[in-house]
Amino acid sequence: MPGEHEPQASVWMAWPERTDNWRFGGKPAQVTFAKVAEAIAETTPVTMVVSAAQFENARNMLPNHIQLLEMSTDDSWMRDIGPSYVVNDNGERRGVDWHFNAWGGLIDGLYFPWDKDDAVARKVCEVLGDNSYRAPIVLEGGSIHVDGEGTLYTTEECLLHPSRNPDLSREQLEQVLGDYLSVEKVVWIPQGLYNDETNGHVDNLIHVVRPGEVVLTWCDDEQDPQYDISRRALDVLQTQKDAKGRTIKVHKMPMPGPLYISEDEAFGVDASDGMEREAGERLAGSYANYLISNQHIIYPLLDPAHDDEVATLLSALYPGYKVTGVDAREILLGGGNIHCITQQIPRV
């Protein structure tokens, strides 16, 4: 599986409209998704999938150079429902189609049914003319990060959660990941970001900058639950080697906020059994939830106290890259961020 820093042919997204997740029928989120798509499209072609009911609206809101494709989904988290791509030495590209159960199935999933989302990965591969493998485990794309050189990062909180693959041990999961992604080393971080409703996706806590180097969401407030989570993650990252035997270099990235849902924001969301969208609910905000796409960083603007500091850090970590910030609070209100709503297709 190539790293995100490697060349990409396109980035895929899905249009938001679910009323029990996105406030006011998804209208504010749609504006933000369009801005993210436009930013990515400066360096990489973007395909946006959209329901038949929203096709004309989306076409009107998106510039013509962003491809629009009718496809059924249950929500709009393309990172988790799209295919994870692998490439071989002959320049062939194939998609890995994981089982998707809405972040927890009937145990603690966020919605039901999820069958449309579960079919997306295979459909993307069909559209692109790529073969795909149906993997034998439940997994979301946001629960893994790879460096393109055999190392995979994940969290125990998510992959070992009883709502994913309760019959498989850590060793058995590592075997499946090795078989399907050709990774040689799995780095298990204990927990993801505090109050992350995905059971702690790794892409909301860290990002792989390049092989042997990561950023980690950092918190200096000893009273904040994230304080200990980040320190345990740092301990794991600094005491393990990657697949090539390198000591992992860790850069600390400030945590925004903490941020909370306001009364006005909660008011516009339909009631739901699975998702907490009530006033005062803490949001799992993280600057690590950015996208790398063809020498371009698209990162979320989340907190005026830290936005510029993060831009400076990213510019230093990625010399020569374009760095673009997009106001991403509307995505955060839905439970994720820029990395969560995008899925890159490697160039071969």
Side-chain angles (χ1 to χ4, degrees), residues 67-266:
Q67 183 185 47
L68 205 56
L69 181 68
E70 185 181 321
M71 187 181 292
S72 302
T73 65
D74 295 298
D75 205 353
S76 47
W77 304 103
M78 187 56 81
R79 176 68 49 184
D80 293 343
I81 62 179
S84 297
Y85 265 91
V86 291
V87 298
N88 66 16
D89 294 338
N90 299 321
E92 288 179 287
R93 182 179 70 193
R94 293 179 188 171
V96 179
D97 174 9
W98 312 102
H99 288 265
F100 178 78
N101 72 354
W103 309 276
L106 299 180
I107 295 177
D108 66 346
L110 301 185
Y111 49 74
F112 178 87
W114 52 76
D115 55 307
K116 295 184 184 72
D117 278 349
D118 192 34
V120 166
R122 183 168 58 87
K123 290 178 179 178
V124 170
C125 294
E126 288 274 355
V127 169
L128 293 173
D130 297 324
N131 290 326
S132 63
Y133 308 100
R134 181 65 161 171
I137 61 171
V138 173
L139 185 141
E140 305 95 40
S143 70
I144 58 172
H145 258 312
V146 299
D147 68 354
E149 294 188 0
T151 308
L152 181 144
Y153 299 85
T154 190
T155 65
E156 296 173 351
E157 180 185 359
C158 185
L159 251 57
L160 301 181
H161 197 277
S163 67
R164 299 306 198 279
N165 303 285
D167 298 328
L168 297 182
S169 67
R170 179 193 305 245
E171 291 72 29
Q172 289 170 316
L173 283 168
E174 287 186 0
Q175 183 66 50
V176 173
L177 293 169
D179 290 345
Y180 280 81
L181 301 179
S182 195
V183 293
E184 301 156 19
K185 172 69 179 285
V186 178
V187 177
W188 293 90
I189 298 169
Q191 281 177 270
L193 202 75
Y194 175 69
N195 211 36
D196 187 336
E197 62 189 0
T198 65
N199 303 120
H201 273 189
V202 77
D203 74 343
N204 212 26
L205 180 73
I206 74 163
H207 206 301
V208 177
V209 177
R210 57 185 63 86
E213 200 168 336
V214 304
V215 293
L216 166 66
T217 300
W218 195 250
C219 173
D220 282 318
D221 180 1
E222 294 184 20
Q223 305 306 312
D224 194 299
Q226 187 59 40
Y227 181 89
D228 287 334
I229 293 172
S230 292
R231 275 152 184 78
R232 286 196 295 272
L234 180 65
D235 183 58
V236 168
L237 291 166
Q238 289 187 331
T239 56
Q240 292 206 40
K241 306 286 189 186
D242 69 6
K244 299 298 184 186
R246 290 176 290 234
T247 299
I248 300 164
K249 186 175 184 180
V250 182
H251 303 275
K252 295 173 182 175
M253 179 168 269
M255 183 181 76
L259 307 172
Y260 302 88
I261 301 178
S262 71
E263 285 191 22
D264 286 348
E265 290 165 340

Side-chain angles (χ1 to χ4, degrees), residues 288-345:
N289 207 306
Y290 61 87
L291 176 72
I292 312 171
S293 187
N294 292 331
Q295 308 290 115
H296 188 187
I297 307 297
I298 303 92
Y299 83 102
L301 299 175
L302 296 170
D303 183 349
H306 295 293
D307 289 345
D308 291 344
E309 178 187 354
V310 170
T312 300
L313 174 61
L314 290 169
S315 296
L317 290 175
Y318 298 95
Y321 279 54
K322 182 181 178 71
V323 176
T324 303
V326 179
D327 185 345
R329 184 172 175 91
E330 291 297 335
I331 313 173
L332 179 58
L333 289 170
N337 227 292
I338 289 173
H339 195 258
C340 305
I341 65 169
T342 54
Q343 179 59 267
Q344 74 276 2
I345 310 298

